Amino acid sequence: MKWHLEAVKKFLANDRKVLKFWCVWDDPTLYGEKRKYILHYFLADDTIEVSEIHTPNSGRDHFPQLLSRCRLPKVPPPTGAARIGTDHSDKIEYYTHADLRVGCYITVYARHFLIFKADEFTEKFYIDVHGLTSKDFEPIEQKEEVYVPPQRTPPPHNGYGEEEDSLGSFYSLIPKPPRRNYAKLLKYDKTALRYLCKLVSENPEDQDRRFIIEFFLSDDTIRVYEQSMRNSGFVAGKFLDRRRCKNVETGEWFKPEEFYMGGRLIINGFVFDLLEADEATLNIMENDAQSFKKSNIELILRTLAEKLWAKDSEKVQLYSEIKSKFGDVVGVELFAELCNQLQWELDEHQKLTIFRKFDKDESGRLTFPEFCIALEKYQPAGAEVPADATNSKVEKE
């Protein structure tokens, strides 16, 4: 009867008081891993329960508990046939709160758990009851191996069909047809960029070969035709059938902004220099100046103005002298000389864009005063233009 009264007194004094520990079990079996658990010790009746900390995508069923609430023996008693011949009067030793510490091991039916952390209530309980200090409850760092999933690298394209079709069978057991951009197909239907180009080769017989490259904006495909040349020994006609090609330098599919006059392209191992573009191609590029930076006249003039008035008084003075030197019109050679003197780095397509803007009569000469007025519109705030550079029309010397 006395022991019953002590149990009731202990229950009333420690009801709902639970010590909480975090522990880890390092599975020693083949392909074992570290698994974390939470151990609860109930002060009311000295029972213990162990619950697993579930992690997402672990591949394990979410069992509620590893050990239901019960008294945990330090050495499990023999059961079944193992009890034959043993002394049944042996007392079983159970775990108590005096056996639990941060950094110690506890055996849960042949599984060895390392306690590496405790909560604030547990820490306060051990300081008041067992005389421990806060240093005894410093958490033990667990070095976790971060699992890095292997990268799935697609195999190289075997050349049959489209690359997207082959990738469909790689990413899925049931291949699906690749999605097409129907809005782009409808917008740029039968619209293509056409360029005249030459083949870059060390063979002397390839020096005079000329090709027509077509880039279709609807599906980013490329088609190449070879022009007819007398006594060249090469048959004119289709050089490359319409298909998508990858840029060797970027490793991606060719994009429309990579095609411009003066550019160099490598298509299927052949090197081409783009020489000319037809009128329809130039109009398409100028109408979509946001995509084709080489045909954006505002961007070109703004860049030239920033370089001209970049805190360089000598360059501004030189600009003033050039304005007084040149007349109303400037040809291609004089404009190239102007770019060299003012250190304007322009490629062939950007120069063509300027001439198409300021060459009113299509004579191959731009209206220089109008070009200067347009350039001075993008003059940065605070920059000053010499007084002798404000006149828009000057006579030739």
Side-chain angles (χ1 to χ4, degrees):
M1 189 66 179
K2 184 178 180 180
W3 64 269
H4 179 70
L5 294 176
E6 291 180 354
V8 173
K9 181 180 179 181
K10 181 179 180 181
F11 174 81
L12 295 175
N14 298 310
D15 186 27
R16 298 185 182 183
K17 293 183 179 180
V18 182
L19 306 181
K20 184 177 181 180
F21 299 91
W22 283 265
C23 50
V24 61
W25 173 48
D26 192 357
D27 189 0
T29 59
L30 185 63
Y31 305 116
E33 57 184 352
K34 290 185 176 181
R35 300 166 63 177
K36 293 183 178 180
Y37 295 83
I38 293 179
L39 186 146
H40 291 131
Y41 185 91
F42 298 87
L43 295 175
D45 53 359
D46 296 331
T47 54
I48 294 176
E49 72 174 9
V50 181
S51 303
E52 184 175 0
I53 301 176
H54 301 290
T55 57
N57 300 325
S58 63
R60 301 181 182 277
D61 292 334
H62 288 190
F63 291 105
Q65 290 177 344
L66 176 70
L67 177 67
S68 298
R69 180 176 176 179
C70 64
R71 299 194 68 185
L72 179 61
K74 295 183 178 180
V75 179
T79 59
R83 300 180 61 183
I84 300 176
T86 59
D87 187 2
H88 302 287
S89 62
D90 294 341
K91 293 184 179 181
I92 301 176
E93 187 177 0
Y94 295 95
Y95 279 104
T96 62
H97 55 78
D99 301 320
L100 305 180
R101 297 285 190 279
V102 174
C104 72
Y105 282 89
I106 178 174
T107 304
V108 181
Y109 291 98
R111 291 181 175 89
H112 303 288
F113 289 81
L114 171 64
I115 299 177
F116 64 89
K117 185 181 177 183
D119 63 353
E120 295 182 359
F121 174 77
T122 304
E123 180 180 350
K124 183 179 179 182
F125 173 80
Y126 277 90
I127 292 175
D128 297 340
V129 176
H130 297 279
L132 300 182
T133 60
S134 300
K135 294 183 179 180
D136 297 326
F137 291 90
E138 293 182 359
I140 300 175
E141 295 184 2
Q142 297 293 319
K143 295 183 179 180
E144 299 181 0
E145 296 182 0
V146 180
Y147 174 73
V148 179
Q151 296 291 335
R152 299 190 303 171
T153 56
H157 186 222
N158 55 13
Y160 292 98
E162 296 291 336
E163 186 171 350
E164 288 80 1
D165 295 332
S166 301
L167 288 176
S169 60
F170 173 77
Y171 289 114
S172 177
L173 293 176
I174 303 177
K176 298 180 181 179
R179 294 184 178 179
R180 305 182 66 182
N181 191 345
Y182 288 100
K184 185 177 181 180
L185 288 172
L186 295 175
K187 181 179 180 180
Y188 296 108
D189 185 29
K190 299 180 180 179
T191 304
L193 307 179
R194 294 178 179 86
Y195 297 88
L196 174 66
C197 58
K198 70 174 183 178
L199 182 64
V200 179
S201 175
E202 297 180 356
N203 299 327
E205 57 270 17
D206 295 334
Q207 300 300 320
D208 297 331
R209 299 177 68 181
R210 294 295 181 266
F211 298 84
I212 300 295
I213 294 182
E214 292 180 307
F215 185 87
F216 296 88
L217 297 176
S218 59
D219 53 0
D220 297 341
T221 54
I222 298 175
R223 185 169 60 188
V224 183
Y225 281 95
E226 183 171 2
Q227 286 187 336
S228 177
M229 301 290 294
R230 296 186 60 184
N231 300 326
S232 64
F234 295 97
V235 180
K238 187 181 297 184
F239 185 79
L240 176 67
D241 201 0
R242 182 175 176 178
R243 57 176 297 181
R244 296 177 68 186
C245 299
K246 282 192 174 182
N247 192 340
V248 181
E249 298 180 355
T250 61
E252 300 178 355
W253 301 110
F254 274 108
K255 299 178 182 179
E257 55 267 18
E258 297 175 351
F259 290 78
Y260 56 90
M261 290 177 52
R264 173 168 291 188
L265 302 176
I266 302 178
I267 302 177
N268 288 355
F270 294 93
V271 184
F272 296 96
D273 281 344
L274 304 184
L275 303 178
E276 299 178 7
D278 61 4
E279 185 68 20
T281 300
L282 296 176
N283 291 333
I284 292 173
M285 299 178 70
E286 291 173 357
N287 293 334
D288 191 7
Q290 297 297 329
S291 302
F292 299 95
K293 305 298 182 182
K294 303 290 184 180
S295 298
N296 193 336
I297 185 63
E298 295 184 0
L299 179 61
I300 296 174
L301 293 177
R302 185 181 294 108
T303 304
L304 297 182
E306 291 176 355
K307 292 183 178 180
L308 178 62
W309 285 285
K311 299 180 181 180
D312 193 345
S313 58
E314 296 181 359
K315 189 179 296 185
V316 176
Q317 185 65 30
L318 179 61
Y319 169 72
S320 173
E321 295 175 359
I322 291 176
K323 285 192 62 175
S324 62
K325 176 181 178 181
F326 294 130
D328 292 343
V329 290
V330 174
V332 178
E333 297 180 356
L334 290 178
F335 187 75
E337 179 183 352
L338 171 66
C339 293
N340 291 332
Q341 293 181 6
L342 295 178
Q343 299 178 2
W344 288 342
E345 297 178 358
L346 298 175
D347 55 29
E348 296 298 327
H349 200 108
Q350 291 174 328
K351 292 179 182 178
L352 177 63
T353 303
I354 295 177
F355 271 83
R356 285 174 57 85
K357 176 66 177 179
F358 300 102
D359 185 7
K360 299 300 183 181
D361 54 358
E362 299 183 358
S363 60
R365 298 182 299 175
L366 60 85
T367 308
F368 191 67
E370 186 178 354
F371 169 74
C372 295
I373 294 175
L375 187 65
E376 291 169 1
K377 290 182 180 179
Y378 298 95
Q379 175 184 349
E384 296 182 358
V385 182
D388 52 353
T390 56
N391 297 327
S392 59
K393 292 189 177 181
V394 234
E395 296 182 357
K396 286 188 179 180
E397 290 184 354

